[in-house]
Amino acid sequence: MRSSGRLSNALANYVAGLDKSILFLSLLLASFGFLAIGTATAANALHDRYVTIHVVGILVGLLIVFILSKLDYALLGQFSVPIIGVCALVLLFTAFFGETVSGNTGWLDLGFISVQPS
């Protein structure tokens, strides 16, 4: 029972430290995304799939934000050069070996999902 209390206190402290304006604007932007997807794909048979992809994207983004918010930014800064290098290599790889989707050669097929690194 005590660990539950510590967990709820830690969560309350984390939420209290969040920038409420960024959180609000992020949720507003995600809502506009749902509205755009809903209106653009309402008559499409894949409407539910697009909404599901949007929800998964939001959840993955929140997980990444949570993980990065727990990292010391100075530590992240020490790895900035390798991170930039990897990003540049991925973009070069995409330029030479990317797949063309709707006339845009900017997609990488990872087997289970296609991503657009740019």
Side-chain angles (χ1 to χ4, degrees):
M1 184 103 151
R2 288 187 129 195
S3 65
S4 172
R6 282 189 227 149
L7 180 62
S8 63
N9 284 342
L11 185 60
N13 290 338
Y14 179 76
V15 170
L18 290 175
D19 186 344
K20 304 300 186 278
S21 60
I22 290 177
L23 182 63
F24 172 74
L25 291 173
S26 298
L27 291 173
L28 184 66
L29 187 60
S31 300
F32 281 135
F34 279 116
L35 181 65
I37 289 170
T39 56
T41 64
N44 192 328
L46 297 175
H47 172 76
D48 292 339
R49 181 174 187 268
Y50 294 134
V51 171
T52 302
I53 290 171
H54 188 68
V55 169
V56 169
I58 290 170
L59 293 176
V60 168
L62 287 173
L63 178 66
I64 291 170
V65 164
F66 176 75
I67 291 169
L68 290 178
S69 72
K70 292 298 178 185
L71 287 177
D72 181 16
Y73 67 89
L75 176 69
L76 192 60
Q78 292 175 351
F79 294 104
S80 62
V81 173
I83 290 171
I84 292 170
V86 167
C87 290
L89 287 174
V90 168
L91 289 174
L92 281 172
F93 185 83
T94 303
F96 291 108
F97 303 108
E99 291 196 12
T100 303
V101 176
S102 300
N104 178 13
T105 305
W107 291 85
L108 291 178
D109 185 10
L110 302 178
F112 60 95
I113 190 171
S114 292
V115 294
Q116 188 178 23
S118 60

Coordinates of all heavy atoms in Angstrom, one line a residue, residues 37-50:
I37 N -8.8 14.0 -40.0 CA -8.9 12.6 -40.4 C -10.4 12.2 -40.5 O -10.7 11.5 -41.5 CB -8.2 11.6 -39.4 CG1 -6.7 11.8 -39.5 CG2 -8.5 10.2 -39.7 CD1 -5.9 11.1 -38.4
G38 N -11.2 12.6 -39.6 CA -12.6 12.2 -39.6 C -13.3 12.8 -40.9 O -14.1 12.1 -41.5
T39 N -13.0 14.0 -41.2 CA -13.7 14.7 -42.3 C -13.1 14.2 -43.7 O -13.8 14.1 -44.6 CB -13.6 16.2 -42.2 OG1 -12.3 16.6 -42.2 CG2 -14.4 16.7 -41.0
A40 N -11.8 14.0 -43.7 CA -11.2 13.6 -45.0 C -11.5 12.1 -45.3 O -11.4 11.7 -46.5 CB -9.7 13.8 -44.9
T41 N -11.7 11.3 -44.3 CA -11.9 9.8 -44.6 C -13.3 9.3 -44.2 O -13.4 8.1 -44.1 CB -10.8 9.0 -43.9 OG1 -11.0 9.2 -42.4 CG2 -9.4 9.5 -44.2
A42 N -14.2 10.2 -44.0 CA -15.6 9.7 -43.5 C -16.2 8.7 -44.5 O -16.8 7.7 -44.0 CB -16.5 10.9 -43.4
A43 N -16.0 8.9 -45.8 CA -16.6 8.0 -46.8 C -15.7 6.9 -47.2 O -16.0 6.1 -48.0 CB -17.1 8.8 -48.0
N44 N -14.5 6.8 -46.6 CA -13.5 5.8 -46.9 C -13.7 4.6 -46.1 O -13.9 4.6 -44.9 CB -12.1 6.5 -46.7 CG -11.0 5.7 -47.3 OD1 -11.1 4.4 -47.4 ND2 -10.0 6.4 -47.7
A45 N -13.5 3.4 -46.7 CA -13.6 2.2 -46.0 C -12.5 2.0 -45.0 O -12.6 1.2 -44.0 CB -13.6 1.0 -47.0
L46 N -11.4 2.7 -45.1 CA -10.3 2.6 -44.2 C -10.3 3.6 -43.1 O -9.3 3.9 -42.4 CB -8.9 2.7 -45.0 CG -8.7 1.6 -46.0 CD1 -7.4 1.9 -46.8 CD2 -8.6 0.3 -45.3
H47 N -11.4 4.3 -42.9 CA -11.6 5.4 -41.9 C -11.1 4.9 -40.5 O -10.3 5.6 -39.9 CB -13.0 5.8 -41.9 CG -13.3 6.8 -40.7 ND1 -12.9 8.1 -40.8 CD2 -13.9 6.6 -39.5 CE1 -13.3 8.7 -39.7 NE2 -13.9 7.8 -38.9
D48 N -11.6 3.7 -40.1 CA -11.2 3.2 -38.8 C -9.7 3.0 -38.7 O -9.1 3.2 -37.6 CB -12.0 2.0 -38.4 CG -13.4 2.2 -38.2 OD1 -13.8 3.4 -38.0 OD2 -14.2 1.2 -38.3
R49 N -9.1 2.5 -39.7 CA -7.6 2.3 -39.7 C -6.9 3.6 -39.6 O -5.9 3.6 -38.8 CB -7.2 1.6 -41.0 CG -5.8 1.3 -41.1 CD -5.4 0.4 -42.3 NE -4.0 0.0 -42.3 CZ -3.0 0.7 -42.9 NH1 -3.3 1.8 -43.5 NH2 -1.8 0.2 -42.8
Y50 N -7.3 4.6 -40.3 CA -6.6 5.9 -40.1 C -6.7 6.5 -38.7 O -5.8 7.0 -38.2 CB -7.1 6.9 -41.2 CG -6.9 6.5 -42.6 CD1 -7.8 6.6 -43.5 CD2 -5.6 6.1 -43.0 CE1 -7.6 6.3 -44.9 CE2 -5.3 5.7 -44.3 CZ -6.3 5.8 -45.2 OH -6.1 5.5 -46.5

